[in-house]
Structures are given as C-alpha cells and as structure tokens.
Amino acid sequence: MKKTEKGLNEAMLTLQEKINSRARKSYLEKAGIDPDSNHVIQDLFPATLFKSTYRNIPNDIARSCLFTARSARVERKTFTREKLFHITESVEFLYTGQELRSLDDELIWLQLVDYCRSTPLGEYTEFDIRQLMNDVGWKTTGHYYKKVRESISRLKATEVYIKNNATFGTSGGISLINDYIGINQGNQTEPTKYKISINKELIVLFAGGTFTNIPWGKYKSLTPMGRRLADYALSHKYPNPIRIQLFLQLCGSEQVDSNEHVKLKTARKVCQELMTKGVVKDAYVADGKIVIDR
C-alpha cells in the first residue's frame, strides 16, 4: 500500500512538472521568445533602456518583500519555502535562503543583472569588485569588499519559487545567481574579481515586458524603505493607493507591529523622500493609505 501510494505521489509530481513546463513554454512563445534558445536579456528591452541611467527589476520581485527594509541591527532570518508577502494576493512567492535586504542585496543583484544583460543567460560575465562598489555607490574600503562578497554568497544560496497563473504559471525553483567563480589576484587571500552567471529560468520574469525600469542614480540614494515604495510605485503605471500596513508588510518591516503614530510618521517620511529625490511627482498619506502620482 505504501509503495503504491509513493508511486502515485511521484506520478502526480511528474505530471505537475510537465504541466508547469508546458505553461512556461507557452508563455515564452506568446511573448515572441524561443523557449529552447539561449536568451540574452538585452534583446528583450529597447536599447535606450540600457544606458547607465537605468536598471531593470521584474515586477513580480518588485511587488514582493523578497528584499526587506528591516534594520541592519536586526539579525537576518533564514527561510525554508517561506511564503513571502506579495502585493498581489493571487501571486504565490516561496523563498528559501537567508533574508535578503534592500540595503545591500537588492542593489547588488540589480547591478549584477545589468552586468549580465548582453551575455546569454547561464554563461559567465566577469567583473571587478571595485567597479561594482562604484556602480552601487559604495566606498571602496575593506568593509564594503566584505559586504559585496557576503551578498554574492547569499544571492547564490537562494531558491525563489513563484506561482503566477496570470502569466507563466510557475517559475520552478530559481536561484537569483546561477553560479559564480571568485578570482584572487596576486597575494590576495579573498577574490577581487568574479565570474558570474544568471539563472536561465529568470527569462520568465523578464519576458512580455513584465519588468520595471529603475532610475539608477535616484534609486541608489534612497533609504531601504524608500526603495521598497519606489519598487511598488514604478512597477505600476497608475499605482493604486496602498494601505500603510500593507506597505510595511511589503517592506518586511518590524514596524508592522508598532503603534499607529509611528506607522503614520514613517509613511509620511518615505513619501517626502520619494518626492524630494524626484522619483515620483507626488506622494502623500490620506485616510491611512499612501497615495502616489507618478
């Protein structure tokens, strides 16, 4: 009986994998992408978006709390197939790995995707850590060298599983970084260069124009909470007002459990930040919601 039940479960799993594979293949074909080819992210975007003034983030990631805005003083959590908050209730987002943060990991990942934009997904691109630190706006000190190396390790040791029946169905288990090779130079004991590759399956998150163009110079200057609100605002042509409580959940913030005065003060501060930095035309709080005019 147990063997029969085990065989049935395995058969069901195999059937579901086939269904998921067909859904992803159909989605890519409808987006004009050959599902069996080696994809280059740059080919999906207008050439003007690959100037140094923009970075690109998939909407499904921008509208999730994959990159949290929790305080750097709070220890990072470790997740195993944890269902993360997503602003769209019909999108299921499961995450395995150490907590990723907007403070560092989001900046690093967006820049790494940019480095890999003209290389077929799955193939290696080489870069220098010093250049990476310059590109994300960090000082080139030992402290930030360490932060880069730790972030790359965190990004590699991840699994993101997204279910979005309105688009590609399921993404399958995707690591944000497919693989990397550290390169030591001279007598250095730690790598100063890397070769890195992006997971091929990430194509489903970029296909069909389902990504957001980030104004990089302004974005880098934002606080972690500012980046989370920018991700939400910029990933919608006409962003709906969002309740302060939902925004804090989108941030993965510990302020979710704080009093209403603290929440209101935080929301107003973040709105002012986005306006001051010129990320949005207007942002304000009304009736417990954040209202944004792009």
Side-chain angles (χ1 to χ4, degrees):
M1 180 66 179
K2 289 185 178 179
K3 288 184 178 180
T4 302
E5 186 176 328
K6 180 181 178 181
L8 180 60
N9 289 338
E10 290 177 348
M12 290 295 291
L13 181 61
T14 301
L15 176 60
Q16 188 60 52
E17 288 174 347
K18 289 180 179 178
I19 292 172
N20 293 341
S21 178
R22 286 198 296 268
R24 290 197 297 274
K25 183 176 181 179
S26 175
Y27 175 69
L28 291 174
E29 288 175 342
K30 288 178 181 178
I33 299 170
D34 182 354
D36 299 318
S37 296
N38 290 330
H39 307 294
V40 179
I41 293 178
Q42 181 171 282
D43 294 343
L44 305 179
F45 306 148
T48 54
L49 297 183
F50 277 101
K51 296 179 180 178
S52 60
T53 53
Y54 289 98
R55 297 296 179 269
N56 310 95
I57 184 170
N59 290 341
D60 276 333
I61 290 180
R63 298 167 186 170
S64 76
C65 70
L66 176 62
F67 296 104
T68 73
R70 282 161 59 84
S71 170
R73 296 187 299 272
V74 178
E75 186 177 351
R76 293 176 190 258
K77 298 179 180 179
T78 299
F79 303 103
T80 301
R81 288 185 63 82
E82 183 81 11
K83 186 174 181 179
L84 301 184
F85 176 79
H86 198 283
I87 203 66
T88 306
E89 291 184 1
S90 60
V91 176
E92 185 175 353
F93 209 108
L94 302 180
Y95 176 68
T96 298
Q98 193 174 23
E99 180 185 346
L100 303 177
R101 291 186 173 163
S102 183
L103 175 68
D104 40 29
D105 303 307
E106 186 171 24
L107 287 180
I108 294 294
W109 189 69
L110 289 174
Q111 186 57 51
L112 293 178
V113 171
D114 189 68
Y115 287 155
C116 296
R117 67 180 186 264
S118 59
T119 303
L121 292 177
E123 296 186 12
Y124 288 101
T125 295
E126 185 175 319
F127 65 91
D128 186 280
I129 293 183
R130 180 179 290 270
Q131 181 61 52
L132 176 60
M133 289 188 289
N134 285 328
D135 287 336
V136 300
W138 291 354
K139 296 178 181 179
T140 52
T141 64
H143 170 73
Y144 287 103
Y145 270 96
K146 185 173 183 289
K147 282 177 69 71
V148 168
R149 294 179 184 120
E150 289 177 347
S151 182
I152 289 174
S153 293
R154 275 194 299 273
L155 291 166
K156 171 66 174 72
T158 58
E159 182 188 86
V160 175
Y161 181 97
I162 305 173
K163 184 176 181 180
N164 188 340
N165 290 332
T167 54
F168 51 78
T170 60
S171 66
I174 300 175
S175 175
L176 292 176
I177 291 179
N178 182 57
D179 196 17
Y180 72 82
I181 300 171
I183 303 172
N184 296 35
Q185 293 179 299
N187 59 356
Q188 296 288 336
T189 58
E190 294 280 4
T192 54
K193 289 186 176 183
Y194 280 92
K195 287 184 178 180
I196 197 163
S197 66
I198 298 296
N199 196 300
K200 291 182 179 181
E201 290 301 318
L202 277 170
I203 191 67
V204 299
L205 301 185
F206 285 99
T210 54
F211 59 89
T212 294
N213 306 312
I214 299 293
W216 193 231
K218 296 175 182 178
Y219 191 80
K220 289 187 295 184
S221 69
L222 296 174
T223 62
M225 277 194 167
R227 289 177 198 147
R228 301 307 300 123
L229 187 57
D231 286 347
Y232 171 76
L234 297 177
S235 67
H236 294 85
K237 188 174 182 179
Y238 303 105
N240 289 324
I242 178 174
R243 288 195 293 113
I244 294 174
Q245 184 71 4
L246 291 183
F247 167 63
L248 293 175
Q249 287 180 260
L250 187 64
C251 291
S253 172
E254 59 272 22
Q255 289 192 24
V256 166
D257 299 321
S258 60
N259 63 57
E260 295 305 313
H261 174 73
V262 171
K263 294 177 183 178
L264 182 60
K265 183 179 179 180
T266 296
R268 286 173 173 166
K269 184 177 180 180
V270 177
C271 287
Q272 184 60 51
E273 180 185 9
L274 260 61
M275 287 191 294
T276 300
K277 299 291 185 179
V279 176
V280 298
K281 182 179 179 181
D282 196 12
Y284 57 92
V285 176
D287 298 325
K289 297 180 180 179
I290 297 174
V291 183
I292 301 168
D293 180 359
R294 286 188 52 187

